[in-house]
Amino acid sequence: MNTKQCVIDMHAHFFPVLRQEEAAQYDAGRTPWLRINEDGKNGMILIGDQEFRPVYNALWDSAARIEEMDALGVDMQLVCAAPVMFGYACQADTAQRWCRSMNDYLIENCCSYNPKRLKALCQVPLQDIDAACREVSRAKSLGHIGAQIGNHVGDKDLNDPDLLTFLAHCANEEIPILVHPWDMTGLGGRMKKWQLPWLVGMPAETHLSILSLILSGSFERLPRSLKICFAHGGGSFAYLLGRADNAWHEHGKVRQDCPHPPSYYCDRFSVDSAVFDPKALRFLAGIMGVERIMLGSDYPFPMGERNIGSLIQGSDFTDEEKAAMLARNAKKFFIIQ
Amino acid sequence: MNTKQCVIDMHAHFFPVLRQEEAAQYDAGRTPWLRINEDGKNGMILIGDQEFRPVYNALWDSAARIEEMDALGVDMQLVCAAPVMFGYACQADTAQRWCRSMNDYLIENCCSYNPKRLKALCQVPLQDIDAACREVSRAKSLGHIGAQIGNHVGDKDLNDPDLLTFLAHCANEEIPILVHPWDMTGLGGRMKKWQLPWLVGMPAETHLSILSLILSGSFERLPRSLKICFAHGGGSFAYLLGRADNAWHEHGKVRQDCPHPPSYYCDRFSVDSAVFDPKALRFLAGIMGVERIMLGSDYPFPMGERNIGSLIQGSDFTDEEKAAMLARNAKKFFIIQ
């Protein structure tokens, strides 16, 4: 073993300490809140009176988070909203208030605990693109080093003209974006058990987002300065790229809006490392290149990488490549000094 | 180069020469039919008056098929229905008549042209499991060497008790099964363009089917003699297996009905080779083992492997491994002399 490498985890979530009455001031039927158990260590996210998911204190308590980061050897975490907080289905003005409040909270109540080790990615009211552009710029001025967005807003994918306006705004303002899958209602309602929306729905959602962006020709129009990263290693995209490239070559409808095969655009985006299998990480690096993979854990959720960084650290990449994936790529992508 | 290896393509489709009036005798609103252009070489599948997809004569004309097989060096093809022919949404008695008719047609009008080189996989009325069991046994007696089924029937996945009854029946009767994705309506209706249902929907459907079968614990109850193969390399399953295994270990809901992690069950099914990328095929072999991959092209559709077998032949597997994937595994799986 050599000297410890710097470790930056660029995909980690938080949730605010928010009582039901406080959440109800936004949209009682949609805004999530937190019930903390008497032990102070475990809790439940709820929407209205409906339990959404059990969670533990690293999600809301920066002291607990830093303690775990110390134990795991994580130097820095980029923290963003749990997707249940996106609020895209709320009225636009409610979503604006909510996003402002959450972005303020994340800086003031989470990152402030240790601003050198906890960095913030903001959230925006994507159902109102003007408001989203204003909020992402405001958040940057507060200290957010990027933005997290959901991979779609209702039936609008990232290639929707409004969403492209937002992406171009972020490119022009040098605000990096993390795209997170959410709202996995698809596949005919057949993902009812065994967390299938997380196992099947999320990677398919991300795959759909990347391909929609590519096959719509959007990368031809977006500034090259756009920095956009997809969670969970980009979902199924990399593995199914051969299928997409073959289809582009063989089928006129696949290539009708896109002048190059999908693989041509792999240098226009990054992915995180949350693929949970050294062979999958090696495959992913073969498609995306090591320089486009950043450590992301999905912490502190149970289906994330519990032992943050262990997949990269235990891999057979060179020390140089590991250092790139563990921290250097994220420093460059998010302009971290 | 060495002597030519035997090549068996176990995933190829046909469509009958069927006029609109003939199709209307089944279910005019659902049964597809074929319009052949004046050139005799190109045509269109329609449902009622609605154009479904353009096709060419290798799909319905065995002479044209054998000519292409000769040019491509394919010794044998296993031919099955195009998924649009499944008929699972028809009334059960209509579907029974339709399946009988199509299974008779495939033997009498397609495979009969060259029974040594064209083998048949039957279709069954899966909405009526008793009828499906009867028809699959009848088809076997006609000469069908296996059955193709869709990966779901309405909202029933393969772990549905009825479908498990059918799978167990096939296991007991030594009838191998090919599972093909179809009915890709999912992901919030956001797969409207660029053939996205084929690029994103199909691999996600197959992923969902395999995981549903595994996480329901169905493999614990199904006979080990069941021979089941999933199309398109098993969709996203292999690449996302690490995510599923991690979730099984970390989340009680994922493992609640399944005593082993998903990777434990990889020796219970096979996949075809239609992944279109040598690195993806190598990855797939690392997960499934070479002995569980069979050449399958999805011929004669444009998003299949046009140059059938070239992915395996051009790969860096050993000659022994190539021979297994090109023919030997299929001979064993489908009991081909």
Side-chain angles (χ1 to χ4, degrees), chain B residues 15-145:
Chain B
F15 195 90
V17 177
L18 196 73
R19 287 175 289 113
Q20 185 165 18
E21 312 84 82
E22 294 170 308
Q25 292 170 14
Y26 298 94
D27 183 333
R30 292 192 176 90
T31 309
W33 60 281
L34 181 67
R35 187 177 66 209
I36 301 176
N37 297 0
E38 285 187 15
D39 66 7
K41 292 196 175 166
N42 293 285
M44 179 66 72
I45 298 176
L46 297 95
I47 301 172
D49 294 322
Q50 191 75 39
E51 293 188 348
F52 175 71
R53 75 188 298 177
V55 289
Y56 76 103
N57 62 347
L59 186 67
W60 67 80
D61 176 350
S62 291
R65 182 186 296 270
I66 289 282
E67 200 173 308
E68 288 212 333
M69 286 168 61
D70 285 342
L72 295 165
V74 177
D75 297 288
M76 182 186 289
Q77 248 182 8
L78 276 51
V79 182
C80 62
V84 68
M85 296 163 60
F86 284 162
Y88 299 157
C90 299
Q91 292 293 322
D93 58 341
T94 306
Q96 280 184 55
R97 277 199 299 131
W98 168 255
C99 290
R100 287 180 69 98
S101 170
M102 290 301 106
N103 291 337
D104 291 348
Y105 182 100
L106 178 52
I107 292 287
E108 292 164 14
N109 294 293
C110 294
C111 300
S112 62
Y113 181 82
N114 192 331
K116 287 194 175 167
R117 296 182 65 191
L118 300 177
K119 303 288 183 188
L121 303 181
C122 69
Q123 66 177 97
V124 296
L126 265 187
Q127 60 271 67
D128 177 340
I129 291 303
D130 289 342
C133 291
R134 281 197 306 273
E135 179 58 17
V136 79
S137 298
R138 188 190 77 90
K140 185 183 181 187
S141 74
L142 288 181
H144 287 260
I145 64 169

Side-chain angles (χ1 to χ4, degrees), chain A residues 23-212:
Chain A
Q25 292 170 14
Y26 299 94
D27 182 334
R30 292 192 176 90
T31 310
W33 58 281
L34 180 68
R35 187 177 66 209
I36 301 176
N37 297 359
E38 284 187 16
D39 65 8
K41 292 196 174 167
N42 293 285
M44 178 68 71
I45 298 177
L46 297 95
I47 301 172
D49 293 324
Q50 191 74 40
E51 293 188 349
F52 175 71
R53 75 189 297 176
V55 289
Y56 76 102
N57 62 348
L59 186 67
W60 67 80
D61 176 351
S62 290
R65 182 185 296 269
I66 290 281
E67 200 172 308
E68 288 211 333
M69 285 168 60
D70 285 342
L72 295 165
V74 176
D75 298 287
M76 182 186 290
Q77 249 182 6
L78 277 51
V79 182
C80 62
V84 68
M85 296 162 62
F86 284 161
Y88 299 157
C90 298
Q91 292 293 321
D93 58 339
T94 305
Q96 280 184 55
R97 278 199 297 131
W98 169 254
C99 290
R100 287 180 69 97
S101 169
M102 289 301 105
N103 291 336
D104 291 348
Y105 182 100
L106 178 52
I107 292 287
E108 292 165 14
N109 294 293
C110 294
C111 300
S112 63
Y113 181 81
N114 192 331
K116 287 193 176 168
R117 297 184 63 190
L118 299 177
K119 303 287 183 188
L121 303 182
C122 70
Q123 67 177 96
V124 296
L126 265 188
Q127 61 271 69
D128 178 340
I129 292 303
D130 289 342
C133 291
R134 282 196 305 275
E135 179 59 17
V136 78
S137 297
R138 188 190 76 89
K140 185 183 181 187
S141 73
L142 287 182
H144 288 261
I145 65 168
Q148 180 199 211
I149 62 173
N151 74 309
H152 66 103
V153 180
D155 59 1
K156 292 181 179 180
D157 269 300
L158 297 184
N159 60 299
D160 175 84
D162 281 347
L163 294 179
L164 290 178
T165 298
F166 177 77
L167 297 182
H169 174 83
C170 290
N172 293 332
E173 303 247 323
E174 296 187 319
I175 298 172
I177 297 169
L178 169 63
V179 180
H180 201 290
W182 81 299
D183 191 20
M184 301 79 71
T185 53
L187 300 175
R190 291 180 292 119
M191 300 191 294
K192 293 201 170 61
K193 297 177 83 171
W194 315 305
Q195 302 296 102
L196 287 170
W198 280 258
L199 300 181
V200 176
M202 281 192 159
E205 284 286 345
T206 302
H207 184 200
L208 176 58
S209 292
I210 300 176
L211 270 190
S212 296

Side-chain angles (χ1 to χ4, degrees), chain B residues 209-219 237 257-258 261-262 265 269:
Chain B
S209 290
I210 300 176
L211 270 190
S212 296
L213 212 47
I214 289 174
L215 293 176
S216 61
S218 296
F219 279 121
F237 170 79
D257 296 319
C258 182
Y265 299 95
F269 57 93

Side-chain angles (χ1 to χ4, degrees), chain A residues 231-310:
Chain A
H232 312 129
S236 319
F237 170 79
Y239 184 62
L240 296 170
L241 182 55
R243 184 170 177 83
D245 267 11
N246 177 69
W248 185 92
H249 285 287
E250 299 292 342
H251 204 303
K253 283 189 183 173
V254 176
R255 62 177 176 261
Q256 66 184 12
D257 296 319
C258 182
H260 302 286
S263 55
Y264 176 87
Y265 300 94
C266 286
D267 68 350
R268 297 295 295 276
F269 57 93
S270 292
V271 296
D272 76 18
S273 65
V275 295
F276 306 97
D277 173 6
K279 293 192 295 290
L281 184 64
R282 173 59 73 181
F283 181 88
L284 185 60
I287 298 289
M288 295 298 298
V290 162
E291 71 279 10
R292 296 201 162 269
I293 301 175
M294 299 184 275
L295 170 62
S297 69
D298 220 345
Y299 174 96
F301 292 131
M303 288 197 278
E305 186 181 40
R306 296 291 305 162
N307 198 352
I308 300 172
S310 60

